[in-house]
Amino acid sequence: MSSSSPTSALKIAVIGSGPSAFYTSLDLLKTNNPQLEIDMFERNPCPFGLVRFGVAPDHPEVKTCQQRFKDTSEDERFKFFGNVNIGTDLKLQELVENYNIVVYAYGSGSENKLGIPGEDHPAVINSKDFVGWYNGDPAYKNLNVPLHKVKNVTIVGNGNVAIDIVRILLASPDSHWSKTDITSEALETLKKSTVENVCVSARRGFLDSKFTNKEFKELLEMEKEGIMFKGWSADHFQTFASKIKLGRIEKRRLQLAQKYSDGGQKVSGKSWELEYLQTPVEFIGDTSDPILLKETVFQQNSAIMNNDNKIEIVPTETLTCKKNELVILSIGYKGEPLQEFENLGIPFDSKRGKIPNIDGKIMREDGSFVTGAYCVGWIANGSTGNINSSVQSSAVVAATIMDDVEADGSLLDYKEGRNKIEQLLSERNIKNISWDDWLKIEQAEIKRGEAQGKIADKITDYEEMLDIAKRS
Ligand code: NAP
């Protein structure tokens, strides 16, 4: 028999503190259930995940969602536990035992790989590391990017992360970046940068570009700042329209490229280009400088129309070499299972790097659901979608949770929740960061930023964050 009653408390643990974790919490708190308790666990001393460590510093408007997340923290039913690593500081089993529901919202922690020779060369950098470095993720603060030695950078993959990186590499550190919250270290490195050209390379064709038109247009418009798109000749554009019927988004993308193309002329100053239908097969190091590449070998691909009238990409025998001293792999991210998943019977799709689920409800291979286990965000859907799209998907997951709680009384069985967890942390002498602690760190960052004329100067050292949190 279930030990629940209509007034039983619903105790929820959320692992992760990025946008999906917060939007799901916000939606759950909207239910006005006074018996609800949401505890959010974050391994970093600071919250916000991708909003803090992923969004480009020149897109502060995207980060305004942090204000909404602060509203969550003001709700007494919500508690933030920063600097708590699930798996080491607390076992996942302890969360499963002490909460009615566990929401997995810890994102995609590792990156896709190409699996080709030279991928481990120091001049082949993953976008995750690079983005984390300029956004102040302490894990990447020592990434020494030798931009002062580089003229040509190739970015493999053409999603919006690649577009962000083009802006980072080419926009002026003084007029474009200096007032943003880009880290001081990254700003200094950009000031010494000798990068002149960035090539964004993709395995498929222009119409399959992964970047969105908004981000494409923003970058094209940076010609006002002297950042030129190399573009193509008029003949090149003829090849598109004749082949397939274009949708609205594709037409717009083509119009934008046409408008800003310089006819394939050589441009002076800083420039960027888009290259298509090529797959990297080897990165070749520079024998005279071990931290640089000499070139990248690409296999050329061909786009053919298959029997279903769909475009198919097939490799050809042709190999080409592109001179570039640095490559940034921007080919998407992959989630990893938590250590205890197997023991606790929580499934994981290793191929896709995500937790199998329906509307957030974690589903085993046999189609049954894991009771009280939900996932949201990139760990649920793969590394796709921006902050706005997480609003909608989080609302779906929150609604699924509330529907299940209503349908299954056993989900309200008594659990110890927060009291037990605080006791465990105290016994283990783990100094978790509360929301007030975090506000102290945030204030220190704003103050440091003010002194430099920046929105904020992010602290990139865990110990320093913990020291600030300890101050009264
Ligand atoms: P993405 O949009 O999925 O793009 C990944 C790119 O990598 C694609 O061009 C893909 O090519 C390529 N790729 C993957 N595997 C490859 C392989 N083995 N060999 C060669 N190329 C490969 O990922 P992302 O740029 O990391 O962005 C992640 C999500 O964050 C996206 O939804 C993005 O829109 C979002 N985001 C949004 C913003 C914004 O709104 N401003 C900013 C940053 C990120 P194929 O297309 O051929 O698979």
Side-chain angles (χ1 to χ4, degrees), residues 388-462:
N388 274 340
S389 59
S390 71
V391 178
Q392 216 177 348
S393 57
S394 303
V396 170
V397 178
T400 307
I401 293 174
M402 293 321 290
D403 287 351
D404 287 355
V405 171
E406 209 173 300
D408 178 359
S410 73
L411 280 173
L412 287 172
D413 281 356
Y414 176 76
K415 299 282 178 176
E416 287 194 66
R418 191 174 296 169
N419 290 343
K420 177 71 182 179
I421 292 304
E422 286 178 334
Q423 182 198 324
L424 290 174
L425 289 172
S426 148
E427 281 166 13
R428 291 170 195 170
N429 215 5
I430 288 158
K431 165 72 185 127
N432 62 286
I433 295 289
S434 68
W435 195 263
D436 284 346
D437 292 335
W438 154 245
L439 292 179
K440 279 191 239 167
I441 299 169
E442 191 188 41
Q443 275 314 308
E445 292 186 337
I446 292 172
K447 218 165 157 192
R448 276 176 28 161
E450 269 167 14
Q452 300 169 45
K454 296 170 68 176
I455 299 176
D457 186 36
K458 286 183 188 159
I459 297 166
T460 57
D461 186 88
Y462 287 123

Side-chain angles (χ1 to χ4, degrees), residues 12 80 119 134 161 222 225 232 272 290 296 305 362 384 406 413 432-433 436 446 454:
I12 301 181
F80 178 70
E119 196 170 1
Y134 64 68
V161 169
M222 287 180 76
E225 297 182 31
W232 309 293
W272 63 286
T296 299
M305 196 70 85
I362 299 182
T384 165
E406 209 173 300
D413 281 356
N432 62 286
I433 295 289
D436 284 346
I446 292 172
K454 296 170 68 176

Side-chain angles (χ1 to χ4, degrees), residues 93-105:
Q93 172 135 25
E94 289 165 338
L95 295 194
V96 171
E97 278 168 8
N98 289 296
Y99 290 88
N100 302 94
I101 280 167
V102 178
V103 180
Y104 300 88

Side-chain angles (χ1 to χ4, degrees), residues 11 23 66 73 75 101 174 212 215 231 236 279 341 379 384 392 420 425 441 457:
K11 297 180 181 173
Y23 280 123
Q66 288 180 190
S73 68
D75 192 310
I101 280 167
D174 294 320
T212 45
E215 275 63 32
H236 190 86
T279 302
F341 269 16
I379 195 62
T384 165
Q392 216 177 348
K420 177 71 182 179
L425 289 172
I441 299 169
D457 186 36

Side-chain angles (χ1 to χ4, degrees), residues 51-309:
V51 182
R52 181 177 168 95
F53 295 137
V55 175
D58 58 347
H59 283 172
E61 72 289 353
V62 180
K63 302 188 197 194
T64 53
C65 57
Q66 288 180 190
Q67 190 47 50
R68 286 213 65 205
F69 303 160
K70 282 183 182 164
D71 297 344
T72 315
S73 68
E74 277 159 22
D75 192 310
E76 281 177 2
R77 298 169 294 168
F78 174 90
K79 190 152 186 184
F80 178 70
F81 290 85
N83 196 38
V84 176
N85 199 333
I86 304 304
T88 50
D89 298 327
L90 289 172
K91 289 279 161 215
L92 177 56
Q93 172 135 25
E94 289 165 338
L95 295 194
V96 171
E97 278 168 8
N98 289 296
Y99 290 88
N100 302 94
I101 280 167
V102 178
V103 180
Y104 300 88
Y106 60 87
S108 306
S110 77
E111 60 274 330
N112 287 330
K113 295 268 182 213
L114 292 171
I116 61 170
E119 196 170 1
D120 294 333
H121 192 284
V124 180
I125 298 176
N126 198 277
S127 62
K128 189 164 156 291
D129 304 13
F130 190 72
V131 172
W133 167 72
Y134 64 68
N135 272 330
D137 185 336
Y140 305 107
K141 74 178 192 141
N142 294 324
L143 188 81
N144 291 315
V145 196
L147 295 181
H148 61 294
K149 287 183 157 192
V150 171
K151 253 185 168 175
N152 301 292
V153 179
T154 298
I155 305 175
V156 176
N158 66 6
N160 282 334
V161 169
I163 299 293
D164 283 349
I165 294 173
V166 178
R167 294 199 312 284
I168 290 281
L169 291 170
L170 296 182
S172 158
D174 294 320
S175 59
H176 193 93
W177 297 114
S178 64
K179 292 192 170 56
T180 70
D181 67 358
I182 194 168
T183 64
S184 312
E185 295 87 348
L187 192 63
E188 286 314 304
T189 303
L190 291 178
K191 283 182 182 169
K192 293 182 200 130
S193 167
T194 48
V195 174
E196 284 179 4
N197 182 256
V198 180
C199 171
V200 179
S201 166
R203 56 185 170 182
R204 299 193 286 156
F206 175 71
L207 298 176
D208 294 311
S209 300
K210 268 299 193 61
F211 51 73
T212 45
N213 286 343
K214 182 167 171 273
E215 275 63 32
F216 185 36
K217 181 164 178 269
E218 180 188 9
L219 183 54
L220 290 165
E221 285 176 344
M222 287 180 76
E223 68 170 30
K224 289 187 215 115
E225 297 182 31
I227 296 163
M228 308 308 289
F229 173 52
K230 277 194 179 164
W232 309 293
S233 66
D235 291 352
H236 190 86
F237 288 100
Q238 291 300 325
T239 56
F240 291 107
S242 56
K243 276 195 179 157
I244 47 167
K245 198 167 171 339
L246 301 182
R248 184 178 58 85
I249 294 171
E250 291 158 332
K251 267 189 199 150
R252 177 71 182 137
R253 188 177 308 151
L254 198 54
Q255 275 168 1
L256 283 167
Q258 264 173 316
K259 180 173 169 194
Y260 287 89
S261 275
D262 65 350
Q265 302 298 306
K266 273 239 167 291
V267 291
S268 61
K270 291 185 175 179
S271 62
W272 63 286
E273 58 194 314
L274 293 169
E275 284 189 355
Y276 290 96
L277 294 171
Q278 54 184 16
T279 302
V281 288
E282 185 173 3
F283 300 111
I284 298 175
D286 182 343
T287 45
S288 59
D289 192 334
I291 63 165
L292 297 181
L293 287 181
K294 180 171 163 249
E295 59 194 9
T296 299
V297 184
F298 286 96
Q299 178 167 42
Q300 296 302 300
N301 300 325
S302 171
I304 55 159
M305 196 70 85
N306 70 16
N307 293 339
D308 299 329
N309 255 357

Side-chain angles (χ1 to χ4, degrees), residues 357-377:
N357 71 94
I358 292 192
D359 290 343
K361 211 167 159 172
I362 299 182
M363 191 175 75
R364 299 187 191 90
E365 218 173 322
D366 65 5
S368 63
F369 293 105
V370 184
T371 309
Y374 299 81
C375 56
V376 67

